[in-house]
Amino acid sequence: MNKLFRLGVLGSGKGSNFAAIADAIDAGEISAQVGVVLSDIEGAGILSHAREREMAAQFLPPGKFRTKLDEDAERNYVAALQAAKVDLIVLAGFMRVLKGDFLRAFEGRIVNIHPSLLPSFPGLEAWKQALDYGVKVTGCTVHFVDAGVDAGPIIGQQTVPVLDNDTPESLLQRIHGAEHELYPKCVAAIARGEISVVGRRVKWAK
Ligand code: GRF
């Protein structure tokens, strides 16, 4: 029997995307197991979600910088993920940019979800950027992670209409709903080996 595909999940926040992925695993929709969940925030909801599910979950201090891991931290994250023998790194609201050595250790095996239709509105508070800009349709994007910010090849996108009476909060809530559908689908397809990348284009086998 083939070894089950293993996920390493990184998050800084409440962990609703991680919960959606864990639920999809429980429902048999993703053929994978969670090897480890890591967070740079000690009290992050994502760690409680993981512990409630009796999964390995660890706070790993990020070091001295605000928006990236410092060298020691980066080494600790890579070591923890390698020790957990993960096949795919799933960023689920991890609020730090990953750099050189981390990217090299898991090249082509890191995915992220972003709350806009990339390449529009990369960066922080993407739903608010979309609302302020006045677009009529926004959504979410799952993409491979490369050295750019929210810039790697796009695996999947789901649209969300912007309504006239939307506030940042109401729009974000609907984007979260779309994220919880899209991310498990993309992770499931990667775990089944159905995703290939040619240049910037990601192809789905089915
Ligand atoms: C999501 O909106 C995701 O798009 C962004 O961070 C947020 C994480 O939320 N990258 P949660 O922790 O999964 O609830």
Side-chain angles (χ1 to χ4, degrees):
M1 210 183 99
N2 287 342
K3 169 179 132 346
L4 207 49
F5 194 82
R6 285 171 72 80
L7 309 178
V9 182
L10 268 57
S12 310
K14 61 184 184 346
S16 68
N17 279 285
F18 163 66
I21 289 169
D23 286 347
I25 291 175
D26 289 347
E29 291 158 11
I30 303 177
S31 182
Q33 61 187 174
V34 175
V36 70
V37 176
L38 301 176
S39 181
D40 58 331
I41 306 282
E42 199 160 10
I46 193 167
L47 291 177
S48 329
H49 273 302
R51 289 181 184 130
E52 276 161 24
R53 292 166 190 265
E54 297 182 353
M55 293 168 175
Q58 205 184 339
F59 159 63
L60 277 185
K64 55 182 181 282
F65 302 118
R66 211 171 44 85
T67 58
K68 62 177 184 178
L69 301 172
D70 74 13
E71 238 175 71
D72 286 347
E74 188 172 75
R75 215 173 297 122
N76 292 337
Y77 274 76
V78 170
L81 292 161
Q82 285 172 341
K85 297 192 178 347
V86 302
D87 300 293
L88 183 73
I89 315 293
V90 176
L91 304 184
F94 191 62
M95 297 307 287
R96 288 171 192 272
V97 181
L98 298 173
K99 300 278 182 184
D101 283 348
F102 192 112
L103 297 178
R104 273 188 290 279
F106 302 105
E107 209 188 329
R109 296 190 292 139
I110 311 172
V111 294
N112 181 43
I113 187 155
H114 181 78
S116 75
L117 295 176
L118 291 171
S120 291
F121 313 122
L124 295 175
E125 299 194 324
W127 65 94
K128 194 165 176 299
Q129 294 185 50
L131 191 64
D132 291 346
Y133 192 93
V135 294
K136 298 299 185 193
V137 178
T138 185
C140 53
T141 302
V142 174
H143 63 94
F144 285 107
V145 173
D146 64 12
V149 175
D150 304 322
I154 290 172
I155 303 164
Q157 294 187 301
Q158 190 157 322
T159 58
V160 172
V162 180
L163 308 179
D164 286 350
N165 58 356
D166 259 331
T167 61
E169 294 72 28
S170 65
L171 180 57
L172 179 59
Q173 199 182 353
R174 292 202 313 289
I175 292 174
H176 277 320
E179 290 183 337
H180 301 160
E181 292 175 12
L182 180 67
Y183 216 178
K185 278 186 206 156
C186 293
V187 172
I190 295 169
R192 287 194 299 264
E194 292 175 3
I195 297 292
S196 57
V197 188
V198 183
R200 279 209 55 90
R201 297 187 68 189
V202 175
K203 305 216 166 137
W204 290 59
K206 284 183 195 162

